[in-house]
């Protein structure tokens, strides 16, 4: 058991030095966890739907978890404006990148000469 061991004291000391506080919730009571338990539930639901009981290589698992993270951070929190025709919403991803996480990156074409041939297949 870890409660009285030297490792537990070292872990507690390390967490205290970083000002990390633990808030324990009762076993089998995720409703006590609030928002973070809701986020865990969403991630688990997506992971189970995508993977099921399949055993994955590390690279595949990281790819799927990154996609799940993108979907989770794409959830709307509230509207950006009061205009009913404006469909932009504030998402957690906007706090991370300033734009939608699922948007394609803008390519800067300002340095490309106008007479350069393009590939049009």
């Amino acid at each position: 058991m870890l409660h009285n061991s030297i490792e537990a004291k070292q872990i507690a000391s390390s967490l205290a030095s970083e000002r990390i506080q633990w808030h324990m919730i009762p076993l089998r009571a995720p409703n006590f966890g609030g928002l973070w338990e809701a986020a865990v539930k969403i991630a688990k639901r997506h992971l189970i739907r995508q993977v099921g009981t399949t055993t994955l290589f590390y690279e595949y698992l990281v790819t799927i978890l990154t996609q799940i993270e993108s979907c989770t951070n794409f959830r709307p929190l509230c509207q950006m404006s009061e205009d009913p025709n404006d469909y932009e919403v504030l998402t957690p991803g906007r706090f991370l990148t300033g734009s939608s996480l699922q948007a394609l990156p803008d390519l800067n074409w300002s340095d490309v000469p106008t007479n350069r041939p393009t590939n049009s297949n």
Side-chain angles (χ1 to χ4, degrees):
M1 186 155 226
L2 192 68
H3 295 307
N4 296 324
S5 67
I6 296 172
E7 292 88 7
K9 292 177 184 174
Q10 291 174 343
I11 291 171
S13 172
S14 175
L15 293 176
S17 68
E18 295 290 329
R19 295 185 177 174
I20 297 174
Q21 297 178 355
W22 287 96
H23 299 280
M24 304 304 282
I25 61 174
L27 188 62
R28 304 277 186 217
N31 57 317
F32 281 71
L35 293 176
W36 64 83
E37 287 291 341
V40 169
K41 180 180 177 181
I42 290 169
K44 284 173 65 175
R45 183 178 67 218
H46 284 298
L47 190 60
I48 290 169
R49 284 184 180 173
Q50 291 296 317
V51 177
T53 59
T54 306
T55 303
L56 299 175
F57 289 109
Y58 176 77
E59 291 81 10
Y60 294 132
L61 180 63
V62 169
T63 300
I64 288 175
L65 289 175
T66 303
Q67 291 171 346
I68 291 171
E69 176 187 13
S70 176
C71 289
T72 304
N73 286 329
F74 190 66
R75 293 174 296 126
L77 299 174
C78 65
Q79 293 179 323
M80 295 278 279
S81 72
E82 296 295 324
D83 183 14
N85 295 323
D86 185 14
Y87 298 112
E88 289 290 317
V89 293
L90 184 63
T91 64
R94 286 200 181 270
F95 292 113
L96 298 172
T97 64
S99 66
S100 173
L101 292 176
Q102 295 182 338
L104 295 173
D106 285 334
L107 299 175
N108 184 1
W109 295 99
S110 62
D111 296 334
V112 178
T114 57
N115 62 350
R116 186 180 110 184
T118 60
N119 292 337
S120 57
N121 294 333

